[in-house]
Amino acid sequence: MKLVKLIANLGYGSRKQVQWMFREGRITDADGEVLYADDQVAHEAIRVDGEPLDPPVGLTIALYKPRGVTCSIKDKGRLVYDLLPSRFRDRDPVLSTVGRLDRDTSGLLLMTDDGGLLHRIISPKSKLPKVYEVELAEDLRGDEVALFASGTLMLESEKTPLMPAELDVQGPRNARLVLHEGRYHQVRRMFAATGNHVQALHRSGVGGLGLEGLEEGQWRQLAAADLETLFAP
Ligand code: URA
């Protein structure tokens, strides 16, 4: 791919703006030698204003989403993209969230520009466990473990019952719930179906990946080994 297109697709600017960046000598190799738009250079050797070029297409990241941040590219209030380098929201192909977490849910959110990978992660066929730590407004009533495991629970306005889910009770109002699918507001709606209300919700894991090494609001790029861990919980 031509350098102008490559750099523009990474969100650094329009092709016109990137052409100007070349003319201004802002694009160099690792030794500071000015590059020209028709040069052939390895991605890792390119610098923009002295900084390494952002990761190429195939970018997948893990973000520790705080509460109060929305999984959307355009919305009022704080967005997950505000926690990333500003160029990331202008990448082509787009860096999408892998499913969504509600504004008030914290925890592990994956984002990728790889459509095939995204579908593999969210597909119920891959049955990747998603682990949620739940704090409830009312005491558990006692039948939730069996109900959620039954594979027969039908949520309002859904046409098929939920897949079996594992609930591990950790206190009268605390539990860990493991889902193998991701329906709209699923955790909140499951507990609403039992007459309860989710007070606080946190996702601690997806597949074999957790939040290790990340503080709230931080992100990291996933390497091939992380993706293996993701699919081999
Ligand atoms: N289920 C919910 O209800 N909310 C989330 O954010 C994730 C799963």
Side-chain angles (χ1 to χ4, degrees):
M1 191 189 296
K2 294 265 169 36
L3 284 183
V4 170
K5 186 165 182 229
L6 170 81
I7 296 171
N9 284 357
L10 293 176
Y12 285 83
S14 65
R15 290 195 201 180
K16 226 176 196 166
Q17 286 167 329
V18 174
Q19 269 158 1
W20 270 109
M21 291 165 74
F22 274 101
R23 284 192 203 123
E24 289 166 351
R26 293 171 57 193
I27 302 178
T28 63
D29 67 11
D31 301 323
E33 286 291 317
V34 169
L35 290 175
Y36 293 87
D38 56 357
D39 282 339
Q40 307 257 330
V41 207
H43 194 108
E44 319 76 71
I46 302 171
R47 302 285 179 271
V48 178
D49 298 328
E51 297 294 324
L53 199 57
D54 286 347
V57 174
L59 173 64
T60 301
I61 67 170
L63 170 70
Y64 187 158
K65 178 192 167 306
R67 287 182 69 164
V69 176
T70 307
C71 290
S72 160
I73 206 149
K74 266 193 198 146
D75 207 345
K76 292 187 210 101
R78 294 178 70 207
L79 308 178
V80 286
Y81 291 93
D82 298 336
L83 299 166
L84 308 173
S86 60
R87 288 186 296 276
F88 278 19
R89 84 176 78 195
D90 296 322
R91 286 171 67 106
D92 178 14
V94 65
L95 183 71
S96 324
T97 63
V98 178
R100 284 177 169 226
L101 290 178
D102 300 337
R103 187 173 168 277
D104 285 335
T105 304
S106 59
L108 179 59
L109 179 72
L110 302 179
M111 298 177 77
T112 187
D113 61 13
D114 180 339
L117 177 67
L118 188 150
H119 285 109
R120 209 176 141 208
I121 299 170
I122 61 175
S123 166
K125 272 191 209 145
S126 66
K127 292 201 170 75
L128 271 194
K130 292 159 205 97
V131 185
Y132 293 92
E133 316 297 331
V134 190
E135 195 185 306
L136 296 158
E138 309 287 338
D139 286 1
L140 287 153
R141 61 186 194 191
D143 64 342
E144 292 89 346
V145 172
L147 180 66
F148 293 172
S150 69
T152 60
L153 178 61
M154 197 77 164
L155 294 179
E156 240 180 78
S157 71
E158 297 273 344
K159 292 197 176 71
T160 51
L162 296 181
M163 291 168 69
E166 298 94 55
L167 185 70
D168 179 16
V169 175
Q170 296 181 330
R173 296 184 181 189
N174 289 87
R176 172 171 294 163
L177 179 62
V178 182
L179 302 183
H180 301 274
E181 57 185 337
R183 303 202 200 181
Y184 181 66
H185 291 332
Q186 183 168 342
V187 177
R188 294 177 202 274
R189 289 164 73 212
M190 286 171 78
F191 283 99
T194 70
N196 212 325
H197 176 76
V198 172
Q199 195 97 285
L201 187 55
H202 174 81
R203 182 155 72 188
S204 53
V206 176
L209 289 182
L211 283 160
E212 297 78 22
L214 289 177
E215 301 283 331
E216 246 191 355
Q218 287 184 338
W219 64 279
R220 70 180 180 94
Q221 185 176 354
L222 297 185
D226 294 307
L227 296 180
E228 272 177 34
T229 307
L230 171 68
F231 287 107

